Amino acid sequence: MALLPARSAGSGAYAEVFWEVWVLRAVKRSWGLRLARLGTRLILAGLLVGALSPLAKAQSGFVITGSEGVPVLSYRLDFRGIRGRLDRYRLKIPPQDVAVAEVQISADRNFDAVIDPQNVRLEVEGKPVELAEVYWDEEFRSLEVVARQPIAAGQEIRLVLSNVRNPSAAGIYRVEARVRGTEPNPLFRKVGNWLITIDDPERLTF
């Protein structure tokens, strides 16, 4: 705010009125500047959010939404998860309280990775398990892996997918894991989700 002008004792009522008007105008200017600055900040914030929203959509091939009570599972990509390149996925499934006869994974159609069913294996405590059947449904993005003998309860399972062609777009993809037990008329039980990150090679430093 500008400095107030000195009040003159001999100027009378006119000077008094002039001084009060000057003060009111100064206060208005001060508030006007504050409001203008606040408005500018709000506009810039709106522009920033509007600019980031399309960017986030463009970089994510998969839209992530929260799932209460659904655990996030651990995984590893041996060759850094670069879009469009070959990779090996190591997907961990925590120990279950029932024997496991089949493992199934499924993803949204945006997950356009190519999985080779001839290069799929299950490991229990680091040792391979003999498989009865592996079925990859490319249309529904679903992989079913059936063990020849049920996997005993309480053991960590690892699903290893070799020769996978990573998705064509960088982003974070949610892949759901389910298991089928050995009880009569078993249903698939949801185990959790892997949140698989696929990168652009331009963003990586070697």
Side-chain angles (χ1 to χ4, degrees):
M1 184 185 292
L3 294 175
L4 295 175
R7 297 178 62 177
S8 173
S11 57
Y14 176 79
E16 184 74 21
V17 171
F18 173 79
W19 187 85
E20 290 178 357
V21 171
W22 193 95
V23 170
L24 288 173
R25 287 179 177 174
V27 170
K28 284 182 179 180
R29 283 197 298 270
S30 175
W31 277 105
L33 286 172
R34 292 180 184 179
L35 289 174
R37 289 171 183 165
L38 179 60
T40 301
R41 289 175 183 172
L42 290 174
I43 291 171
L44 288 175
L47 290 174
L48 182 59
V49 171
L52 287 178
S53 296
L55 181 61
K57 291 177 184 176
Q59 289 182 346
S60 299
F62 202 98
V63 179
I64 299 177
T65 56
S67 299
E68 264 187 59
V70 179
V72 175
L73 307 178
S74 60
Y75 74 94
R76 191 181 81 194
L77 305 184
D78 284 357
F79 304 111
R80 308 187 68 178
I82 301 173
R83 63 177 178 84
R85 297 188 184 177
L86 292 177
D87 219 317
R88 181 182 296 113
Y89 291 38
R90 300 181 185 271
L91 311 175
K92 289 185 180 180
I93 297 174
Q96 302 296 300
D97 57 4
V98 297
V100 174
E102 181 179 347
V103 173
Q104 183 187 68
I105 69 173
S106 58
D108 186 84
R109 293 189 180 186
N110 290 331
F111 183 73
D112 61 349
V114 179
I115 294 177
D116 180 2
Q118 301 299 319
N119 282 280
V120 172
R121 73 174 185 268
L122 279 178
E123 294 179 351
V124 175
E125 307 296 338
K127 297 180 180 179
V129 172
E130 190 175 355
L131 303 179
E133 183 182 2
V134 177
Y135 178 68
W136 165 239
D137 190 323
E138 186 171 359
E139 181 182 359
F140 293 100
R141 322 309 298 167
S142 174
L143 177 71
E144 299 175 11
V145 183
V146 182
R148 188 167 295 281
Q149 297 293 331
I151 299 168
Q155 301 186 84
E156 182 181 87
I157 302 171
R158 182 177 297 173
L159 181 61
V160 182
L161 313 178
S162 299
N163 199 35
V164 177
R165 178 72 63 181
N166 285 327
S168 58
I172 300 177
Y173 296 84
R174 185 175 60 193
V175 179
E176 181 181 280
R178 298 191 295 174
V179 298
R180 181 172 61 83
T182 57
E183 64 274 23
N185 302 316
L187 298 175
F188 278 102
R189 304 170 53 177
K190 189 170 183 177
V191 175
N193 297 322
W194 295 287
L195 301 182
I196 297 176
T197 299
I198 300 298
D199 280 317
D200 273 316
E202 295 80 5
R203 294 206 299 262
L204 297 175
T205 55
F206 293 90

